[in-house]
Amino acid sequence: MKFSEQWLREWVSPQLDTQAVADQITMAGLEVDAVEPVAAAFSGVVVAEVLTKEQHPDADKLNVCTVDDGSAEPVQVVCGAPNVAVGQKVPFAQVGGVLPGDFKIKKAKLRGVESHGMICSESELGLVDETSPGIFVLPSDAPTGEDFRAYMGLDDCTIEVDLTPNRGDCLSVKGLAREVGVLNRLAVSGPECQSVTAVFDDTFPVSVEAPERCPRYIGRLIRGVNVKAATPLWMVERLRRSGVRSIDPVVDVTNYVMLELGQPLHAFDRDNLHGEVVVRLAKEGESLTLLDGQNVALRPETLLIADENGPLAMAGIMGCENSGVSPSTQTIFLESAFFTPLAIAGQARSYGLHTDASHRFERGVDPALTAIAVERATHLLLDICGGEAGPLNEVKSDAHLPEKRQIHFRAERLRKALSKSLAAEEVMDILQRLGLGVQVTEHGWRVDVPSWRFDIAIEEDLIEEVARIHGYNNLPVRRPSTRLALRASDEARITQSQLRHQMVARGYQEAVTYSFVAPELQAALLPEAVSPTLANPISADLSVMRASLFPGLVRALEHNLNRQQTRVRLFETGLVFNGHLDSLSQTPMLGAIVCGTRNPEGWSGGREAIDFYDLKGDLESLLGLGGGFNEWRFEPSTHPSLHPGQCAKVMHHDREAGWIGTLHPQIRAKLGLKVDALMFEVRLDALSEGAIPAFEPLSRQPEVRRDLAFIIDETVPVQSLLDVASQQAGEHLKQVKLFDVYAGNGVTEGHKSIALGLTWQHPSRTLNDDEINQLVSAIVAQVRSEFSAELRS
């Protein structure tokens, strides 16, 4: 939020300079982003009156004027502005003056006519960024000869505050003044908001069909307004210094009151309203053309202001193009409402909108401010536009308004939290200046929370308020004392740090992606996945919680490929979310994605593309960290994200623990990827399981090895063959290794040759041939029985 320092000082003016005020606000938790002057530096500019205007004798677009600048004699000046006229009060740069950009004003001749100064536009004075169409015409009561900077109050600064979402009460000059007042122990005084006496009894009927979203709605008719009246210069300037452009007096007043008090308002043209004003949810198929000309299709959960002909505005966000105030408006319907934060939160962003009103409503607007803001706006409108006001028409649902909150605040709890004892009088003064009601109790205070402080609900919130107002720098600095002992290391667990280091050692880089992904990407990769949809997403592309690490890794791969990174090796650890909110499971996973060449580019390396077995080897290096590699298995299977022929389910203790494979060709084509990508995802809890290492004496006896080659159906997984060999090889089998796979000449079509090397070793004696031959015979017999396999000759 931007605000003028001069405007703030009308409410409360501490004896501090601008930077000190900004620093004080920042230290109180309201971070100041910028402090900028409201106008560029210039000098020698005064208020002048145009006395005469004549056509330049040698130029059609120039006028020769005389102006009274407060000096003894009128001054002649040549002016090319189309809007200059006799009797105007204008800013006049005298000879010797300096305008922004170090432009010095000198005597000059324009087409043979002397000019002793310059009548200035707003852009020439650095008041606006865009080029002004003409000179800056001042109000008729501007005092001739007065210094223009002093008259406009341009020795002022705009302070921009970046408020956290919980401090919506400070999105106004009133709220900020309240903070500055309590920080400096000063009284805060703003304009009085007295009730306006109704001149007529007419009201426009209002009904609220969604009281849980709009517990309070106030409307007032004001007739006989002159929308063509000029907005006072002081109001235009305050709006400009707050980053708001002046439009017309009615809109300017509503914006001004919003900036001053924090309550958004909206004015409708009464003649464009039909039947009654209804606050309701949108209906299927309804649409709305907004004030900015954008046509939007409304969703059923959107709260609307409507009449019998249809929508008039998106509640708390923006009005309709056809119902707004126009130059022909004579009667306005002034609206002020309290919309609950959850009713507005995320709605504006879901339509690609962000307005000052939605920014305030979704953070919380004081429900007690609704009528006060209408009265303040009515006073301003009657002063500027004339007219007469009718009575307030209020529709209220007490059951849905925020409940009053009362907190028991213990003095001892405050002392322990701050490590400092504060005087009871100081604590009460802080709380009362913040607007909280305070009553002394036996153990502290009973505090009534005001309606504008949505962020105060528990005792700790009050401790925070006292601490920041007392000053964090005033709290004692104490180092924590504790007995630090080494934690026991669980050798049976593999830490995430070990897993990360192993992946880095294998040439991977760690990626950190959002926990929410694009719904269409997740649907493409995991069509049957169910995960929560965010009510208030950062954007439409990040609106569902990820059910797998695959979507985020695929998006990261795309990002790298689009930046000419042809060899990508990424891994990530994080939670994945499955199920609805009431039955949500959150599972920590480790995933990886690779593409490109097997080895980095170099004179000694080839250009072979990475394949399934390379990625499987990287995963197996993780599985081996725990020492229980035999507890893991890879089984052929299918997964919607992976290639049907290059996909395996990762099993741990016969339970599914993850997946590995090549990205499905159809998904790759849909995403526009021109290279194959391989990826895996495994549960972290399974990867973290390890075995405590135990020493086993080395045998001094010789090993015995037998090699067996089987002709087997090509559909039989090698793992099944390894399992049978291990089961039949006896207790002294040390190793079974696959060392050859062959298919081609000499092997029947549809079959493959699998060669296994089996190694036995007894701990205390030499194994004889008869024992080994019996074990080999058992293996061959079982393989023949289960797989109809034959030994290869």
Side-chain angles (χ1 to χ4, degrees), residues 319-385:
C320 173
E321 184 180 51
N322 299 326
S323 64
V325 174
S326 68
S328 61
T329 299
Q330 294 183 341
T331 302
I332 64 172
F333 177 72
L334 186 62
E335 166 198 272
S336 179
F338 169 67
F339 302 111
T340 58
L342 289 178
I344 307 300
Q347 288 293 327
R349 281 194 295 276
S350 69
Y351 288 99
L353 302 170
H354 180 77
T355 64
D356 289 333
S358 67
H359 186 74
R360 285 164 171 79
F361 278 124
E362 64 189 9
R363 283 158 174 77
V365 173
D366 181 7
L369 197 60
T370 315
I372 297 172
V374 171
E375 299 291 4
R376 173 64 171 151
T378 303
H379 273 290
L380 292 171
L381 286 169
L382 296 181
D383 290 343
I384 298 170
C385 303

Side-chain angles (χ1 to χ4, degrees), residues 1-12 18 21 25 35-38 152-161 172-174 176-177 234-243 256 259:
M1 175 187 169
K2 292 182 178 180
F3 65 94
S4 159
E5 181 188 357
Q6 287 182 359
W7 194 1
L8 175 69
R9 288 187 182 274
E10 289 186 7
W11 287 73
V12 58
T18 303
V21 170
I25 293 173
V35 178
E36 299 176 347
V38 300
M152 292 288 291
L154 294 179
D155 294 325
D156 184 17
C157 289
T158 291
I159 302 176
E160 184 174 1
V161 180
S172 66
V173 175
K174 179 180 180 180
L176 289 166
W234 62 266
M235 182 177 288
V236 173
E237 270 298 292
R238 286 185 175 178
L239 292 174
R240 179 184 74 82
R241 297 176 195 189
S242 301
Y256 182 84
L259 293 171

Side-chain angles (χ1 to χ4, degrees), residues 19-33:
Q19 190 58 50
V21 170
D23 292 343
Q24 190 179 60
I25 293 173
T26 296
M27 287 305 297
L30 312 177
E31 183 180 355
V32 173
D33 274 355

Side-chain angles (χ1 to χ4, degrees), residues 462-483:
L462 295 174
I463 294 173
E464 180 185 359
E465 291 299 297
V466 173
R468 69 183 187 86
I469 300 300
H470 177 71
Y472 296 122
N473 291 337
N474 297 324
L475 297 177
V477 177
R478 295 181 181 175
R479 294 180 178 86
S481 66
T482 182
R483 295 180 60 189

Side-chain angles (χ1 to χ4, degrees), residues 773-790:
N773 290 337
Q774 289 179 9
L775 295 173
V776 169
S777 298
I779 292 171
V780 172
Q782 189 63 30
V783 169
R784 282 175 174 166
S785 173
E786 288 196 24
F787 307 118
S788 301
E790 294 294 335

Side-chain angles (χ1 to χ4, degrees), residues 477-522:
V477 177
R478 295 181 181 175
R479 294 180 178 86
S481 66
T482 182
R483 295 180 60 189
L484 300 178
L486 294 175
R487 291 186 302 172
S489 177
D490 187 353
E491 294 184 69
R493 292 202 62 78
I494 307 302
T495 65
Q496 284 194 35
S497 177
Q498 290 174 286
L499 296 170
R500 289 191 179 103
H501 279 88
Q502 178 67 11
M503 291 299 288
V504 171
R506 304 285 292 191
Y508 287 78
Q509 291 181 310
E510 184 170 11
V512 180
T513 66
Y514 284 111
S515 294
F516 20 88
V517 295
E520 59 275 9
L521 177 61
Q522 180 149 293

Side-chain angles (χ1 to χ4, degrees), residues 414-415 418 420-427 430 445 466-467 470 475:
L414 176 66
R415 187 194 65 78
L418 303 187
K420 182 177 182 178
S421 295
L422 299 182
E425 293 77 11
E426 181 182 359
V427 176
I430 290 173
W445 306 272
V466 173
H470 177 71
L475 297 177

Side-chain angles (χ1 to χ4, degrees), residues 103 577 721:
F103 179 70
F577 308 87
L721 192 62

